Amino acid sequence: MVEPHLLPKPVSMGLMAFQRGAAGDNDPTIPAAGGIGIVSIPFALASGGWLSIIFLFLISIAACYTGLLIKRCMDKDSTIESLPDIGQRAFGDKGRLLVNIAMNCELYLVITGYLILEGDNLNKLISHFHVDIGGLRITGTQCFVLLSALIILPTVWLEDLGKLLSYVSATGALASIIFLCSLLWNGTIDGTKLHSKGVLFNWKGVPAAVSLYAFCYSSHPVFPSLYTSMKNKHQFSNVLLVCFTLCTLVYAATAVLGYLMFGSEVESEITLNLPKEKISSKVAIYTTLVNPITKYALMLRPIVDAVKSVLPNHYNKRHKLTHVVVSSILLISTVVVALTVPFFGYLMSLVGALLSVSASFLVPSVCYLKISGTYKKLGCEMIINYSIFFVGTAIAAFGTYTSLLQIIKHLKL
């Protein structure tokens, strides 16, 4: 049992319910997507079939291993404090730039997914809602995306998010447990029942399934901050193992429950399948709705800092005004993307395949090979890391292609 004082500050890693500070290399850790990954995990299992859950466990093992590689990179150079530092140590300024781009793009698409999630679930609770303006009909989902953005807007104007960080980070793990319990309640007591047999395996759905599984393990960019904040750094490996084990068990349980309840009919957000009149359904939906609103500003902050860092100095002299303008423009841009590409499952699949795989699997593996010099030595480490690189590249290629194909297909409909 890992003692509480050995866990990273300000909170433990919980169920990987937080992610990273991205653009600003020394930014505080940022609560993550943890919470929205669990919503789409039953859809991932439904896409690939029962046997595809094997990939969830394989990805979990690989993710845990690459997490340990980050620690090893940091042990070889005490000046490393972030994932971009690792990129620079391995490949210079270009390495830092590429890592920062991947992390910021991932953050941007994740917060866009937050807005889609809000719109879909509010529309589930308040169905048949729409607004007609001058012959133009705005659907309920679109209205709720706009409403969510208005509610979130004041939070992105805040500059000091330090106090909010620990509370929001802690709620991520709690939200995942509440969500799983409410789903179990719904499937066993509240009337939905566990009845679906499902499909054993579906080759065509494997790229989407694997991409969504990978999206659930995208916390690696926060690991350097967690490692440096620990009092007893030698316990990092144990903490990592415990957290990945708990995380994987919760994800697997949610995936199996959701697939048993709704089979191939499960939506990209399982909350859309739940009968809204049931108390358990409302608990699950409300939990899903609260998380994005509380986390959006924290996830946006690194992107805001990255944009401000490239602005001319005279803009940054008016620091508060610049912060408000930049954060507002970025929020508006995510609203536009959410309204244009309102496909939560396919968008998160794209994030998982293209960006999560890059930041959490390829970067640690490739950088470790370079920093340690292992790429020159034929052995077990070299074979494992090259395997992760080639398999990760294949997942990124096929997953990205499949996700983009689905997005384009639905945009044409």
Side-chain angles (χ1 to χ4, degrees):
M1 182 71 179
V2 181
E3 298 178 19
H5 74 278
L6 298 177
L7 296 176
K9 295 182 276 186
V11 292
S12 73
M13 283 194 286
L15 296 176
M16 297 302 176
F18 45 80
Q19 200 147 304
R20 66 242 159 229
D25 296 337
N26 296 313
D27 285 348
T29 56
I30 299 298
I36 67 172
I38 199 170
V39 172
S40 60
I41 200 77
F43 176 72
L45 183 59
S47 298
W50 285 114
L51 290 181
S52 72
I53 201 169
I54 295 172
F55 295 117
L56 174 68
F57 292 103
L58 292 176
I59 287 172
S60 174
I61 293 169
C64 188
Y65 175 75
T66 54
L68 293 175
L69 293 183
I70 290 175
K71 171 187 177 296
R72 293 179 187 176
C73 288
M74 297 182 72
D75 288 340
K76 290 184 178 296
D77 188 341
S78 60
T79 64
I80 293 176
E81 296 182 350
S82 66
L83 199 62
D85 286 345
I86 293 176
Q88 184 165 32
R89 176 69 172 76
F91 300 104
D93 291 339
K94 290 182 180 179
R96 174 180 289 273
L97 178 63
L98 289 174
V99 172
N100 269 321
I101 288 174
M103 286 168 26
N104 279 295
C105 288
E106 183 179 5
L107 284 171
Y108 185 86
L109 291 178
V110 166
I111 59 178
T112 301
Y114 280 174
L115 294 176
I116 298 172
L117 195 69
E118 291 290 306
D120 288 344
N121 282 278
L122 283 170
N123 190 54
K124 167 78 175 180
L125 290 175
I126 309 172
S127 54
H128 308 299
F129 179 84
H130 64 270
V131 175
D132 292 313
I133 303 177
L136 176 65
R137 170 161 291 194
I138 304 176
T139 65
T141 301
Q142 293 170 332
C143 288
F144 292 127
V145 167
L146 295 170
L147 177 62
S148 299
L150 288 174
I151 294 172
I152 290 169
L153 183 60
T155 68
V156 304
W157 292 341
L158 299 174
E159 293 187 71
D160 184 11
L161 299 174
K163 293 180 180 179
L164 185 61
L165 173 63
S166 57
Y167 293 108
V168 175
S169 297
T171 59
L174 180 61
S176 296
I177 295 172
I178 291 174
F179 185 85
L180 174 59
C181 290
S182 61
L183 197 64
L184 180 62
W185 180 9
N186 193 285
T188 56
I189 300 173
D190 228 0
T192 301
K193 296 183 180 180
L194 309 177
H195 60 273
S196 177
K197 294 182 179 179
V199 177
L200 186 62
F201 195 66
N202 178 24
W203 271 109
K204 292 183 179 179
V206 167
V210 172
S211 299
L212 287 170
Y213 292 151
F215 173 69
C216 294
Y217 295 94
S218 56
S219 299
H220 289 59
V222 80
F223 289 172
S225 295
L226 296 174
Y227 184 53
T228 56
S229 71
M230 291 181 69
K231 289 183 179 180
N232 298 312
K233 292 181 173 56
H234 65 279
Q235 286 289 341
F236 180 80
S237 300
N238 294 333
V239 172
L240 206 63
L241 180 61
V242 169
C243 291
F244 270 100
T245 301
L246 292 174
C247 177
T248 302
L249 290 175
V250 170
Y251 279 135
T254 303
V256 170
L257 271 174
Y259 198 26
L260 282 174
M261 290 166 68
F262 303 108
S264 59
E265 300 300 317
V266 68
E267 300 277 357
S268 60
E269 305 156 50
I270 192 173
T271 48
L272 301 182
N273 290 100
L274 300 176
K276 64 181 181 180
E277 67 277 2
K278 302 292 184 180
I279 295 177
S280 56
S281 301
K282 291 179 180 179
V283 171
I285 295 171
Y286 290 145
T287 302
T288 303
L289 287 171
V290 170
N291 260 340
I293 291 176
T294 57
K295 292 179 180 178
Y296 187 100
L298 289 167
M299 295 286 281
L300 181 69
R301 180 60 180 271
I303 309 174
V304 173
D305 290 342
V307 173
K308 289 195 296 185
S309 69
V310 299
L311 292 176
N313 289 332
H314 65 272
Y315 285 108
N316 288 317
K317 288 180 180 179
R318 298 182 177 182
H319 183 72
K320 291 184 178 180
L321 179 60
T322 301
H323 180 83
V324 169
V325 172
V326 171
S327 58
S328 299
I329 291 174
L330 285 170
L331 171 59
I332 292 170
S333 70
T334 59
V335 171
V336 173
V337 176
L339 294 175
T340 306
V341 191
F343 315 120
F344 179 81
Y346 300 132
L347 188 63
M348 294 306 100
S349 179
L350 176 63
V351 174
L354 182 60
L355 301 171
S356 298
V357 167
S358 298
S360 297
F361 296 87
L362 300 184
V363 168
S365 185
V366 172
C367 288
Y368 176 74
L369 284 171
K370 183 69 187 301
I371 292 172
S372 66
T374 307
Y375 70 97
K376 300 176 182 177
K377 307 169 185 176
L378 181 62
C380 186
E381 271 194 340
M382 179 184 178
I383 294 171
I384 292 173
N385 280 281
Y386 272 114
S387 298
I388 290 174
F389 174 75
F390 287 118
V391 173
T393 301
I395 292 172
F398 287 108
T400 300
Y401 173 77
T402 302
S403 302
L404 287 174
L405 205 64
Q406 291 292 346
I407 289 172
I408 293 170
K409 177 183 176 181
H410 283 77
L411 283 174
K412 290 180 178 180
L413 294 178

